[in-house]
């Protein structure tokens, strides 16, 4: 049976491939990384090829859902990135929640939404830069020219990609002017039958209906040129790393093991809480009496949304939230009347008290009665 007899007998020629492993953890935060200036720092990064794509995205990720203005009647049949960034709670089926969204600080010349300047991604960049410097020093001390060239090339790959992928977020800023602005309350309907009511000003509500876009610094041809150049640098670095001495290859093995572990840990964090700066907004959970007992059916959930907004106009503005037949129209009239019949009341804890009305029984009565005064 054969074992290593000396340290120099250890073969680590495959260590160069460690430079391209870990693409999944890097790709998760690649877009927000290239938005930040620290993407330009020469540094080691696992799987730098994850930063350049065949097609650069023009928009940030969206989700399924419907956004409708309670008073404005504006409708958008998707949840844009702004909606997903602010409201990260996964509402359970038929759950109804109401919150208040305000601007916490005057905007001035600062952006309301931007990448965190000193978040986890920044410290990953610093960690990669420190490892680059350490490997350069070790390569010089141990006189390993191949490791030195590999370190320089791999460190510059991140910078080249950061330059080619640089972009800014195009999303209209909410501005609180001196003139009075109407309420811009927004209702978000999720596909599994839950509702989120957001109390806000019209200036903030507009951001829910705007399609954000990624404005890149460089044209598509320039981007592809930098991607090709970075790919050649990456291939050259892998070849050189495979020809480094066993001592430096061992150091590289440790460096990439630590970097991959760090990137996987950061990828597991919620991007909205750690990578994006949304401190310009303040979200307060208002709540209502009975919220701790979620509805067991869609009819009850819809009634709670109507009772909180005291309106059904948003239902008529948006398609697909409720049926449009005559019986449902009659039920909506009864629901609106029940919601407005009682004055606004709040409990001692400040929660809204919803009117007492049996929504499911009312719907059943309507279906059995088939009222003649409602056109079919």
């Amino acid at each position: 049976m054969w074992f290593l007899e000396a340290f120099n007998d250890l073969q680590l020629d495959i260590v160069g491939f460690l430079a391209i492993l870990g693409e999944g953890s890097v790709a998760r935060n690649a877009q927000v990384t290239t938005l930040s200036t620290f993407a330009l720092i020469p540094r080691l990064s696992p799987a730098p090829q994850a930063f350049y794509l065949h097609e650069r995205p023009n928009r940030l990720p969206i989700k399924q859902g419907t956004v409708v203005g309670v008073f404005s009647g504006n409708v958008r049949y998707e949840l844009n990135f702004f909606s997903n960034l602010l409201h990260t709670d996964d509402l359970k089926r038929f759950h109804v929640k109401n919150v208040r969204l305000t601007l916490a600080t005057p905007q001035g010349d600062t952006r309301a939404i931007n990448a965190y300047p000193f978040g986890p991604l920044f410290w990953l960049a610093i960690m990669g830069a420190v490892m680059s410097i350490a490997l350069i020093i070790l390569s010089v001390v141990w006189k390993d020219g191949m490791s030195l060239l590999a370190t320089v090339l791999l460190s510059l790959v991140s910078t080249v990609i950061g330059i080619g992928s640089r972009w800014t977020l195009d999303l209209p800023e909410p501005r609180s002017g001196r003139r009075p602005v109407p309420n811009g309350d927004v209702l978000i309907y999720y596909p599994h039958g839950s509702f989120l009511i957001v109390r806000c000003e019209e200036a903030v509500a507009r951001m829910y209906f705007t399609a954000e876009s990624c404005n890149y610094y460089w044209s598509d041809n320039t981007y592809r040129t930098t991607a090709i150049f970075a790919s050649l640098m990456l291939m050259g670095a892998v070849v050189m790393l495979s020809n480094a001495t066993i001592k430096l290859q061992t150091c590289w093995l440790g460096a990439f093991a630590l970097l991959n572990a760090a990137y996987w840990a950061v990828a597991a964090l919620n991007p909205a809480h750690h990578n994006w700066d949304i401190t310009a907004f303040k979200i307060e959970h208002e709540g209502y009496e009975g919220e701790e007992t979620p509805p067991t059916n869609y009819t009850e959930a819809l009634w709670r949304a109507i009772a909180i907004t005291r309106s059904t106009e948003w239902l008529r503005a948006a398609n697909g939230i409720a049926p449009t037949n005559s019986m449902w129209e009659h039920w909506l009239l009864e629901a609106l009347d029940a919601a407005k019949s009682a004055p606004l009341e709040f409990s001692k804890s400040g929660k809204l008290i919803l009117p007492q009305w049996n929504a499911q029984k009312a719907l059943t009565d309507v279906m059995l009665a088939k009222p003649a005064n409602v056109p079919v």
Side-chain angles (χ1 to χ4, degrees), residues 190-217:
Y190 295 93
H192 54 276
S194 58
F195 296 88
L196 175 65
I197 296 96
V198 183
R199 306 283 191 187
C200 59
E201 293 182 350
E202 181 65 26
V204 176
R206 295 191 194 106
M207 300 185 71
Y208 287 93
F209 303 97
T210 303
E212 76 292 328
S213 60
C214 304
N215 289 343
Y216 293 95
Y217 280 74

Side-chain angles (χ1 to χ4, degrees), residues 186-248:
V186 169
L187 181 139
I188 300 177
Y189 167 71
Y190 295 93
H192 54 276
S194 58
F195 296 88
L196 175 65
I197 296 96
V198 183
R199 306 283 191 187
C200 59
E201 293 182 350
E202 181 65 26
V204 176
R206 295 191 194 106
M207 300 185 71
Y208 287 93
F209 303 97
T210 303
E212 76 292 328
S213 60
C214 304
N215 289 343
Y216 293 95
Y217 280 74
W218 308 103
S219 67
D220 194 61
N221 289 335
T222 302
Y223 165 73
R224 294 184 185 279
T225 301
T226 58
I228 293 173
F229 188 54
S231 298
L232 294 174
M233 293 172 64
L234 179 59
M235 288 187 287
V238 169
V239 171
M240 292 176 185
L241 184 56
S242 298
N243 289 276
T245 60
I246 193 64
K247 288 192 297 185
L248 262 303

Side-chain angles (χ1 to χ4, degrees), residues 117-129:
F118 301 107
L121 296 179
F122 169 78
W123 295 110
L124 284 180
I126 296 300
M127 180 181 179

Side-chain angles (χ1 to χ4, degrees), residues 40-363:
L40 308 178
I41 300 175
R43 68 198 187 281
L44 291 183
S45 170
Q49 74 276 5
F51 286 101
Y52 49 87
L53 307 172
H54 180 66
E55 294 291 341
R56 293 181 295 183
N58 293 319
R59 291 193 60 189
L60 296 171
I62 62 174
K63 290 184 179 180
Q64 290 184 331
T66 301
V67 183
V68 55
V70 174
F71 304 112
S72 66
N74 293 332
V75 181
R76 191 170 189 87
Y77 295 102
E78 66 179 21
L79 304 184
N80 65 9
F81 187 71
F82 174 77
S83 305
N84 299 323
L85 198 59
L86 286 181
H87 310 294
T88 57
D89 296 338
D90 292 329
L91 297 182
K92 297 180 180 179
R93 183 179 297 275
F94 305 140
H95 194 89
V96 182
K97 182 179 179 181
N98 59 324
V99 299
R100 180 169 295 277
L101 177 65
T102 56
L103 282 172
T105 56
Q107 285 313 106
D109 296 329
T110 60
R111 296 192 63 86
I113 299 178
N114 212 338
Y116 255 127
F118 301 107
L121 296 179
F122 169 78
W123 295 110
L124 284 180
I126 296 300
M127 180 181 179
V130 170
M131 288 190 173
S132 293
I133 296 172
L135 286 169
I136 288 175
I137 293 174
L138 290 175
S139 298
V140 171
V141 171
W142 289 336
K143 299 180 180 180
D144 190 334
M146 301 303 287
S147 176
L148 177 62
L149 290 175
T151 307
V152 172
L153 285 176
L154 279 177
S155 300
L156 291 178
V157 164
S158 300
T159 300
V160 171
I161 295 174
I163 293 174
S165 304
R166 193 95 170 95
W167 64 285
T168 58
L169 178 62
D170 182 12
L171 182 65
E173 296 290 312
R175 302 296 181 186
S176 295
R178 294 182 178 179
R179 63 183 179 85
V181 291
N183 289 333
D185 296 358
V186 169
L187 181 139
I188 300 177
Y189 167 71
Y190 295 93
H192 54 276
S194 58
F195 296 88
L196 175 65
I197 296 96
V198 183
R199 306 283 191 187
C200 59
E201 293 182 350
E202 181 65 26
V204 176
R206 295 191 194 106
M207 300 185 71
Y208 287 93
F209 303 97
T210 303
E212 76 292 328
S213 60
C214 304
N215 289 343
Y216 293 95
Y217 280 74
W218 308 103
S219 67
D220 194 61
N221 289 335
T222 302
Y223 165 73
R224 294 184 185 279
T225 301
T226 58
I228 293 173
F229 188 54
S231 298
L232 294 174
M233 293 172 64
L234 179 59
M235 288 187 287
V238 169
V239 171
M240 292 176 185
L241 184 56
S242 298
N243 289 276
T245 60
I246 193 64
K247 288 192 297 185
L248 262 303
Q249 285 191 353
T250 305
C251 294
W252 277 93
L253 176 62
F256 276 116
L258 290 174
L259 282 173
N260 270 284
Y263 272 82
W264 274 111
V266 172
L269 299 175
N270 190 323
H273 296 160
H274 298 91
N275 298 338
W276 290 92
D277 184 2
I278 54 174
T279 54
F281 298 96
K282 181 181 179 182
I283 302 178
E284 299 174 285
H285 180 213
E286 292 191 332
Y288 57 91
E289 290 297 323
E291 183 180 3
E292 61 280 358
T293 306
T296 57
N297 56 74
Y298 184 71
T299 305
E300 179 64 25
L302 187 59
W303 153 245
R304 292 192 186 186
I306 293 172
I308 293 172
T309 59
R310 299 172 71 88
S311 171
T312 58
E313 292 302 317
W314 50 272
L315 271 171
R316 293 178 171 83
N319 297 323
I321 298 181
T324 56
N325 58 53
S326 59
M327 289 178 288
W328 270 94
E329 285 291 332
H330 189 80
W331 181 86
L332 288 177
L333 292 174
E334 290 188 7
L336 181 61
D337 184 63
K340 288 186 173 182
S341 62
L344 279 175
E345 294 181 338
F346 296 88
S347 65
K348 293 181 179 180
S349 60
K351 292 183 178 181
L352 177 66
I353 299 177
L354 302 184
Q356 295 297 318
W357 188 63
N358 193 325
Q360 188 63 43
K361 181 179 181 302
L363 180 61

